[in-house]
Amino acid sequence: MSSIRFEQVSQSFGNRTVLRDITLHLTEHRIGIIGANGSGKSTLVRMINGLMTPTSGTVSVDGQNVARHAREVRRKVGFIFTNPDNQIVMPTVQEDVAFTLRRRGLSPAEIARRTAAALDQFGLSEHAEHPAHRLSGGQKQLLALAAVLVAEPATIVADEPTTLLDARNARRISDLMQTLPQQVIVVTHHLNLVEDFDRVIVIDEGSVVADGAPQQSLAAYRALLLA
């Protein structure tokens, strides 16, 4: 598990403040982050591997300042986007998974072995030579997971990974998130996805308004929706 710290983190875009003085220490195995649209939750998690840099404050992973050591941190932290088309970069399924490993100094045989294992893990072996962008929505999200996990990161950050999926594929991705050995940090509107997590954080208007066990945090979020 990674040790992820936000120290007095704020983020502004022009006159709009998205995050306000966030201080968190994330060490649990499965962490959910929930909140209304525009609350700042996606901005928050994109700072973990340097996709965004805070206006003020610091984010660190295992003691490394992300802004200064983004390349090293990205070896530890894999990121899954809401829309898998945003991270599919190669023509075929097999090539897309192998692409992740090409800059790791591995032999062609090791790349082939690890790619095959990742495809098998996510039920994509039969689609290895298929055009990646012609997969179904659920298969594309599985491919995105495979392409990230093949690099064996310590932490997976997933930004609304089930939002664009039908109920069946959303359940499949949800089940996978529950069983991954890696530390998992998930932003989601699907509250059932985080009901069994170790910790759930509620973000509202750029601030942490609840942080604790799922039952308490989900109750606080539902209360916000009714306010």
Side-chain angles (χ1 to χ4, degrees), residues 10-209:
S10 295
Q11 179 67 53
S12 298
F13 300 108
N15 294 326
R16 179 173 173 245
T17 300
V18 180
L19 294 174
R20 294 178 175 82
D21 197 29
I22 302 288
T23 295
L24 292 166
H25 186 202
L26 309 180
T27 59
E28 292 80 5
H29 185 185
R30 286 187 288 271
I31 301 166
I33 299 178
I34 61 176
N37 288 333
S39 61
K41 57 192 185 299
S42 290
T43 299
L44 183 78
V45 297
R46 285 170 183 249
M47 293 178 178
I48 296 175
N49 73 338
L51 290 172
M52 299 190 74
T53 302
T55 303
S56 62
T58 59
V59 182
S60 62
V61 175
D62 295 333
Q64 290 184 303
N65 185 312
V66 177
R68 297 175 185 169
H69 303 281
R71 179 174 294 182
E72 294 93 328
V73 168
R74 285 173 187 157
R75 288 179 174 267
K76 301 176 183 180
V77 180
F79 197 96
I80 306 294
F81 291 87
T82 305
N83 187 344
D85 284 319
N86 292 338
Q87 61 193 102
I88 294 173
V89 296
M90 299 299 287
T92 71
V93 170
Q94 179 174 287
E95 288 174 315
D96 197 66
V97 176
F99 180 76
T100 306
L101 300 172
R102 288 184 180 174
R103 290 175 289 182
R104 297 298 175 95
L106 302 174
S107 69
E110 179 64 9
I111 290 174
R113 183 192 69 77
R114 287 173 61 171
T115 297
L119 293 176
D120 183 63
Q121 179 183 359
F122 291 98
L124 294 170
S125 296
E126 294 182 1
H127 303 282
E129 302 300 329
H130 290 191
H133 284 286
R134 293 186 183 178
L135 296 174
S136 70
Q139 289 169 333
K140 286 180 182 179
Q141 198 60 282
L142 289 170
L143 173 57
L145 274 165
V148 167
L149 287 169
V150 73
E152 299 178 349
T155 298
I156 302 293
V157 178
D159 188 6
E160 300 189 28
T162 59
T163 294
L164 300 181
L165 302 181
D166 60 30
R168 179 175 176 273
N169 282 307
R171 171 52 59 188
R172 187 175 188 184
I173 297 298
S174 176
D175 290 345
L176 278 169
M177 292 291 175
Q178 296 283 357
T179 58
L180 290 174
Q182 285 87 355
Q183 181 183 38
V184 175
I185 301 171
V186 180
V187 170
T188 186
H189 288 292
H190 294 166
L191 303 186
N192 61 308
L193 177 56
V194 299
E195 285 177 343
D196 296 324
F197 275 27
D198 302 302
R199 178 179 178 185
V200 174
I201 298 165
V202 182
I203 307 292
D204 186 56
E205 296 184 353
S207 298
V208 175
V209 296

